[in-house]
Amino acid sequence: MTDTKRAGCRIGIFDSGVGGLTVMKQIIRLLPHADIVYFGDTARLPYGGKSPETITRYSIENAIFLLKEESIQFLVVACNTASACAIGHLQQIFNIPIVGTIMPGAEKSVEVTRNGRIAIIGTKATIASGAYQREIQQLLPNAQLFPIACPLFVPLVEEQFVDHDATKMVIQTYLEPLIGSGVDTLLLGCTHYPLLREVIQEVVGEGITLVDPASSCAEAVSKLFSQPPSHSSLKPEYRYFVSDDPHKFQLLGEKFLCADISDVRLANNY
Amino acid sequence: MTDTKRAGCRIGIFDSGVGGLTVMKQIIRLLPHADIVYFGDTARLPYGGKSPETITRYSIENAIFLLKEESIQFLVVACNTASACAIGHLQQIFNIPIVGTIMPGAEKSVEVTRNGRIAIIGTKATIASGAYQREIQQLLPNAQLFPIACPLFVPLVEEQFVDHDATKMVIQTYLEPLIGSGVDTLLLGCTHYPLLREVIQEVVGEGITLVDPASSCAEAVSKLFSQPPSHSSLKPEYRYFVSDDPHKFQLLGEKFLCADISDVRLANNY
């Protein structure tokens, strides 16, 4: 099988770790015949507490890896933190279509809200960047926004404390400012947060709609194709690269992708 | 002031972030006239969940930075994870005295225990390396060891949840296996854990002695000097380098060092 045979439909996705697999899952649902190469920067994760400069540098390196080594034609920045801090730089540097989570997540939130009061939760870097806030304000200038950084959510999910009482208490602490705020929409601005969806919903109550940008991001990716990569006798090819510990990525990743993962390779020297 | 003037007493310390400042604090106490250069690898932290290969590569890079850029004569690996995974490699590669936390922490635990039943807590990588276990067994072959990885302790400390009820619940969950174990000594095998000392003591009870390797590590460093760097008219010089976000390092670092930190510089391209 040559690369030419598959030309034109290889999507590259990068994330700081496994979280972006939730985006990949949605892309597979909409574009079941596309080839996908996933890169998880597991040696340098997490990105959420780092500076915009470092996040941008890492994002550029990840994009170069996917372009040079894997000849991708489309780039998806599945990591909300990297989308928030680096997508503008990536779009300036690289001459291929690039989709992140911010615009699709903002559009979805604006579509969902009835009263314009929207809470945004994410990593420190995502919230501090103001990226979601800017996009939502552009679409809905009268929106009232409640941005909250929730840096402990990622480690709690990664350490499989999702059903632990401590996690509920941490969620209550972070989301306390929303009590009485009148918010009707809560944007889950990090790929890990949908795994806490049930507890978050329990804490904020059923009246608030939770928005996960992953499916909106996948829809934006599918719109890049005038027609979706067509059915052929070839099965779509999924490749996985990480900068550290392929085995750990595979084990945790299967929970995020909700499917088997095989052939995870190590990209050296990150 | 020239480097020659200060020759022979510049100690380099590296850690994945701010935690190693607790070791630096103890070294300052014992060697108040030594010059110290501290490097925190804040762009790539945390190390605790990464592979031994990646931790070793990062550790070698950190040591090279301190040797090449700062001409250190002594190296302290203040990070337990890097000590556990990389100190053997560092000692093979670099021809200067190198002190880590493992041997001093093991010696202290063996000195403290009365019944030989010792619990060791640390990051996943520290516990999986078996480094503390091996050193203690060598010193006390009949020791009965209870190693437990506690990966959520670092983010809980970094996010200043030390006094939060959720933290106590997480500690109870991790340390549950110690109930009825007869352990009389608990080795705090990560620089962040002493900041949880009070809650940990409350959870395990007053009968268990907590051992912090930081002061034992500092004692091992002080023994490298036949006589301590002498008093002179020059004040000792403390320099700080990080691979990301000097300002954040300064703010959080002052809590770990219990002193002012100034002049934190960015070491590029990590």
Side-chain angles (χ1 to χ4, degrees), chain B:
Chain B
M1 176 185 339
T2 65
D3 275 349
T4 336
K5 214 164 167 188
R6 293 186 168 279
C9 60
R10 181 173 285 166
I11 299 167
I13 303 176
F14 81 78
D15 181 51
S16 58
V18 291
L21 291 168
T22 58
V23 176
M24 177 164 167
K25 184 177 118 186
Q26 298 297 333
I27 294 175
I28 291 174
R29 196 175 53 84
L30 296 178
L31 300 170
H33 302 293
D35 294 333
I36 301 177
V37 190
Y38 185 97
F39 177 76
D41 191 7
T42 48
R44 306 188 293 193
L45 65 76
Y47 285 4
K50 289 164 191 171
S51 71
E53 294 77 19
T54 293
I55 294 161
T56 300
R57 186 158 49 84
Y58 290 174
S59 298
I60 293 170
E61 289 171 6
N62 300 342
I64 289 173
F65 172 82
L66 288 167
L67 278 157
K68 257 181 79 176
E69 305 292 326
E70 292 294 309
S71 309
I72 58 163
Q73 287 95 21
F74 304 91
L75 177 62
V76 181
V77 183
C79 173
N80 285 261
T81 303
S83 294
C85 297
I87 204 151
H89 296 92
L90 295 173
Q91 285 166 334
Q92 276 177 358
I93 296 171
F94 302 108
N95 192 26
I96 59 168
I98 300 177
V99 173
T101 60
I102 305 298
M103 184 91 82
E107 282 170 356
K108 185 73 179 176
S109 305
V110 167
E111 198 183 303
V112 161
T113 186
R114 297 168 308 275
N115 67 8
R117 300 173 82 86
I118 301 169
I120 305 152
I121 60 175
T123 65
K124 282 184 189 173
T126 298
I127 297 302
S129 76
Y132 271 123
Q133 296 92 308
R134 274 193 303 278
E135 287 300 335
I136 295 175
Q137 293 283 6
Q138 276 212 330
L139 297 167
L140 191 69
N142 291 328
Q144 275 195 282
L145 303 180
F146 301 77
I148 302 174
C150 304
L152 281 171
F153 286 4
V154 169
L156 286 165
V157 170
E158 297 240 337
E159 296 312 325
Q160 305 184 38
F161 268 64
V162 169
D163 298 321
H164 197 284
D165 287 342
T167 300
K168 191 171 175 186
M169 292 174 74
V170 171
I171 294 173
Q172 283 167 332
T173 299
Y174 281 137
L175 302 189
E176 208 186 345
L178 300 185
I179 297 174
S181 65
V183 152
D184 74 350
T185 304
L186 173 59
L187 173 58
L188 305 172
C190 171
T191 53
H192 284 63
Y193 296 0
L195 282 88
L196 295 172
R197 178 185 271 276
E198 274 180 43
V199 206
I200 292 174
Q201 191 79 70
E202 199 186 318
V203 168
V204 298
E206 291 299 325
I208 295 182
T209 307
L210 306 189
V211 171
D212 171 10
S215 54
S216 318
C217 174
E219 280 163 31
V221 175
S222 77
K223 283 181 194 151
L224 295 175
F225 295 83
S226 51
Q227 50 188 141
S230 64
H231 182 77
S232 77
S233 57
L234 296 173
K235 275 172 70 173
E237 195 177 45
Y238 303 136
R239 295 191 200 178
Y240 304 90
F241 291 87
V242 290
S243 48
D244 192 31
D245 211 334
H247 183 64
K248 187 176 162 194
F249 175 88
Q250 186 186 354
L251 288 182
L252 191 58
E254 289 181 343
K255 288 188 206 235
F256 282 76
L257 190 64
C258 306
D260 287 347
I261 290 179
S262 61
D263 191 23
V264 183
R265 282 175 260 182
L266 190 64
N268 279 323
N269 294 322
Y270 273 81

Side-chain angles (χ1 to χ4, degrees), chain A residues 68-84:
Chain A
K68 255 181 82 175
E69 305 293 326
E70 291 294 311
S71 309
I72 58 162
Q73 287 96 22
F74 304 90
L75 177 63
V76 181
V77 183
C79 173
N80 284 263
T81 303
S83 293

